[in-house]
Amino acid sequence: MRHLPCWFCKDIQSDYFMTNDTICAISTAPGIGGVAVIRVSGKESIAICSKLFHPHKKGKDLSCQKAYTLSYGAIIHGKETVDDVVAALFRSPHSFTGEDTVELTCHGSLYIQQRILELLLAHGCRMARPGEFTQRAFMNGKMDLSQAEAVADLIASTSEGQHRLAMNQMKGGFSKELKNLRKQLLEITSLMELELDFADHEELEFADRSELKKLASQIENAMLHLAHSFKAGNAIKNGIPVAIIGKTNAGKSTLLNRLLNEDKAIVSAIHGTTRDVIEDTTLIKGQLFRFIDTAGIRNTTDAIENLGIERTFQKIEQSSIVLWMIDAVDALQQIKEIGNDIFHRCKNKQLIIVLNKVDLIETQLDLKHLIPTNMPIIYISAKEGKNVEELQRKLTEATQITPTQQGDIIVSNVRHFEALNHALDSIHRVQDGLENNLSGDFISQDLRECIFHLSNIVGEVTTDQVLGNIFSHFCVGK
Ligand code: GDP
């Protein structure tokens, strides 16, 4: 079982570390399905299931079966036959949790699922908490904490990018990178600390300072690379942020509804209807986008509307892509009025000009001379759906996130990102210390802090609170 060496918290005897009892839960989605899987894990799992499971073939008792075998039989209690089931057997340590585990596949009736659970509980099992199977896998050293978190991400994945990120993390690519970094940091630390042991002999210098500086800079670069990947990771996980901006009544809410395929935002001919920000996600060609409908930009004395407009500007800041919607009927006027402001605010963004309501104009407007060269411009009718597909194609082209390759390490978890930033702060202090010839014990302290923050990510150092927080977000049965 995992031993948690914790420098900052000594109390590791708590609920989260108790894995002596046997737990059970329905692992398939709640509701009626063709079949359902009930998972039982812990020391007594095989013994408890053997009392309820009666093999159809004589002599095939569950407790005598080898690991990785399937047995066909029935769950029988007294005179009651609950269902015909298939029992899959895993023996410790070769199971997901690292413990003896039985997975019972029964028919998907809610009554059958509940009845089997009741019988398991009556025979000594306890209901598993959310994520407890994965938590046991972590405690039994089957995976580290970042891999356990990836299990939840994998289950929640809805796009190709999210799936690939979660798979990479679950396979341990990120963990390996962190292990390398910690190994290098430990090398420097041990050299520094060796020097401290011989502090009386000032002539001895075990750690060549220029070598240490080089190593610290390599570590800093590797961590910076990981921290920078968070922007892409976050966009893949939570959707690429796309702000839809423009003057009131340009058709922003109509476009949002069209892109989301639902009536999310109120569409109205009354100016200033959208006063707050409305956002939602949708998949386009396997890529998750987060569209943000903003309050229309116009000069107004209405205080609440002005607050909304202020938020529009903030949302531009937070977006990767900006769709500037212009009403085709009044396009020249709108570009003259707010063009310069928008071009300025979006200078570091992917700006796409969307000329809307083309159904109301006779001839296509040529606006190229009014906008910066090479800025994409697209003519649509949000109301009629004309050319919206073309806009979707432009959006997928405009995403700067290239599909992650198998093996790419991209940070997508806020907890990991924060820990990396703390580790970066520590390594910067190490670098300052080396630069200013500070004494080894100061530098060593910062090195240890840096290792601590990296260890936090994989759960080598952790607290109940962190574990509770992570696993409570899992579903029951995983
Ligand atoms: P917003 O203030 O920018 O969010 O604009 P809305 O989406 O609320 O639309 C304002 C008005 O323009 C509504 O009456 C819409 O039906 C209308 N509208 C939106 N898009 C189009 C379009 O492509 N063609 C036409 N003819 N009207 C549209």
Side-chain angles (χ1 to χ4, degrees):
M1 190 168 122
R2 185 178 285 272
H3 171 64
L4 294 169
C6 183
W7 302 327
F8 290 87
C9 71
K10 297 269 180 284
D11 178 23
I12 59 167
Q13 291 305 316
S14 69
D15 233 24
Y16 262 97
F17 301 93
M18 281 176 59
T19 52
N20 281 333
D21 47 2
T22 299
I23 53 172
C24 65
I26 300 166
S27 283
T28 32
I32 303 169
V35 292
V37 174
I38 296 168
R39 205 183 226 177
V40 189
S41 182
K43 277 195 189 116
E44 299 300 320
S45 58
I46 299 173
I48 293 174
C49 289
S50 296
K51 287 183 196 155
L52 297 166
F53 177 83
H54 295 259
H56 284 316
K57 236 188 190 169
K58 278 211 160 35
K60 288 275 182 185
D61 277 359
L62 209 54
S63 51
C64 307
Q65 297 310 302
K66 285 189 186 153
Y68 303 129
T69 51
L70 294 178
S71 306
Y72 180 47
I75 296 292
I76 299 175
H77 177 59
K79 288 187 179 155
E80 175 197 15
T81 300
V82 182
D83 194 15
D84 277 352
V85 302
V86 173
L89 195 87
F90 305 87
R91 289 188 185 273
S92 169
H94 306 295
S95 69
F96 175 73
T97 57
E99 304 172 329
D100 282 350
T101 302
V102 180
E103 285 180 7
L104 298 169
T105 305
C106 60
H107 290 101
S109 124
L110 282 180
Y111 171 75
I112 292 173
Q113 298 179 43
Q114 286 306 322
R115 186 69 188 122
I116 295 176
L117 259 193
E118 270 171 31
L119 290 171
L120 287 167
L121 295 175
H123 282 77
C125 287
R126 165 173 74 71
M127 265 309 286
R129 289 188 295 253
E132 198 171 357
F133 294 96
T134 315
Q135 182 201 319
R136 288 188 172 199
F138 162 66
M139 293 306 298
N140 290 322
K142 302 292 289 185
M143 57 179 73
D144 68 33
L145 202 52
S146 74
Q147 288 173 300
E149 287 168 303
V151 173
D153 290 345
L154 188 70
I155 294 170
S157 66
T158 52
S159 71
E160 190 190 340
Q162 289 173 337
H163 172 258
R164 193 162 282 177
L165 271 190
M167 277 305 259
N168 284 349
Q169 194 175 313
M170 212 172 74
K171 282 186 181 157
F174 184 36
S175 313
K176 212 164 132 195
E177 177 80 8
L178 291 172
K179 203 171 164 183
N180 275 340
L181 285 171
R182 282 187 300 155
K183 200 172 140 221
Q184 292 177 38
L185 284 161
L186 274 171
E187 265 168 38
I188 312 185
T189 315
S190 46
L191 283 171
M192 298 285 343
E193 288 178 0
L194 197 61
E195 226 174 69
L196 291 178
D197 288 345
F198 293 89
D200 296 342
H201 302 266
E202 275 177 16
E203 72 284 4
L204 289 177
E205 192 182 84
F206 292 90
D208 173 350
R209 298 267 162 146
S210 63
E211 268 305 302
L212 291 185
K213 278 185 204 166
K214 219 164 104 190
L215 202 52
S217 151
Q218 278 169 9
I219 294 170
E220 184 209 8
N221 281 339
M223 290 198 299
L224 275 174
H225 186 72
L226 287 173
H228 285 159
S229 73
F230 179 71
K231 197 171 171 220
N234 190 42
I236 293 172
K237 199 166 169 179
N238 299 314
I240 297 160
V242 183
I244 308 174
I245 64 157
K247 292 206 72 166
T248 50
N249 269 12
K252 299 181 293 300
S253 301
T254 310
L255 178 67
L256 178 83
N257 291 345
R258 171 89 39 201
L259 289 165
L260 298 179
N261 238 340
E262 63 171 300
D263 284 345
K264 181 97 185 175
I266 301 169
V267 171
S268 153
I270 303 165
H271 286 264
T273 310
T274 309
R275 290 172 168 222
D276 206 351
V277 170
I278 301 170
E279 54 182 274
D280 209 342
T281 55
T282 193
L283 277 175
I284 301 176
K285 295 202 173 112
Q287 176 74 65
L288 193 69
F289 286 89
R290 187 154 43 85
F291 289 104
I292 308 153
D293 181 17
T294 60
I297 303 165
R298 66 166 176 158
N299 284 328
T300 172
T301 48
D302 183 316
I304 297 176
E305 202 182 335
N306 267 325
L307 276 178
I309 294 170
E310 200 40 54
R311 278 198 201 168
T312 300
F313 295 140
Q314 285 167 8
K315 286 292 163 185
I316 292 178
E317 277 298 303
Q318 294 161 12
S319 301
S320 304
I321 302 174
V322 179
L323 300 181
W324 176 18
M325 287 206 83
I326 302 175
D327 188 331
V329 178
D330 166 34
L332 298 177
Q333 182 60 25
Q334 291 188 32
I335 296 177
K336 270 189 202 151
E337 237 177 83
I338 55 172
N340 282 343
D341 191 18
I342 291 188
F343 295 138
H344 176 70
R345 286 180 191 273
C346 299
K347 59 179 185 293
N348 299 323
K349 312 277 164 193
Q350 299 259 349
L351 177 62
I352 300 176
I353 295 182
V354 183
L355 203 79
N356 188 34
K357 306 192 188 180
V358 290
D359 54 303
L360 296 181
I361 54 169
E362 309 259 297
T363 48
Q364 187 154 316
L365 289 170
D366 184 10
L367 302 173
K368 286 214 160 41
H369 60 289
L370 294 173
I371 60 170
T373 27
N374 295 334
M375 185 164 285
I377 173 161
I378 182 151
Y379 299 77
I380 70 161
S381 166
K383 194 170 180 177
E384 294 178 359
K386 193 176 162 198
N387 250 359
V388 173
E389 262 185 36
E390 175 64 12
L391 173 63
Q392 289 172 321
R393 199 180 55 77
K394 274 246 158 31
L395 278 170
T396 50
E397 276 173 15
T399 68
Q400 286 168 327
I401 301 161
T402 47
T404 52
Q405 300 299 309
Q406 217 72 38
D408 267 3
I409 299 168
I410 293 185
V411 177
S412 63
N413 182 308
V414 183
R415 188 182 75 82
H416 302 172
F417 178 60
E418 280 177 357
L420 272 170
N421 280 329
H422 289 313
L424 271 164
D425 286 345
S426 310
I427 200 74
H428 288 150
R429 284 198 299 276
V430 170
Q431 287 174 307
D432 282 351
L434 287 171
E435 210 54 60
N436 297 313
N437 266 329
L438 279 194
S439 116
D441 40 2
F442 285 121
I443 299 176
S444 171
Q445 170 71 17
D446 286 325
L447 281 165
R448 290 219 163 262
E449 257 183 45
C450 188
I451 297 171
F452 168 78
H453 292 302
L454 296 184
S455 303
N456 238 320
I457 299 177
V458 286
E460 287 281 329
V461 180
T462 191
T463 63
D464 276 9
Q465 208 186 356
V466 172
L467 292 183
N469 207 358
I470 291 171
F471 289 108
S472 62
H473 288 100
F474 275 63
C475 44
V476 175
K478 189 60 216 174

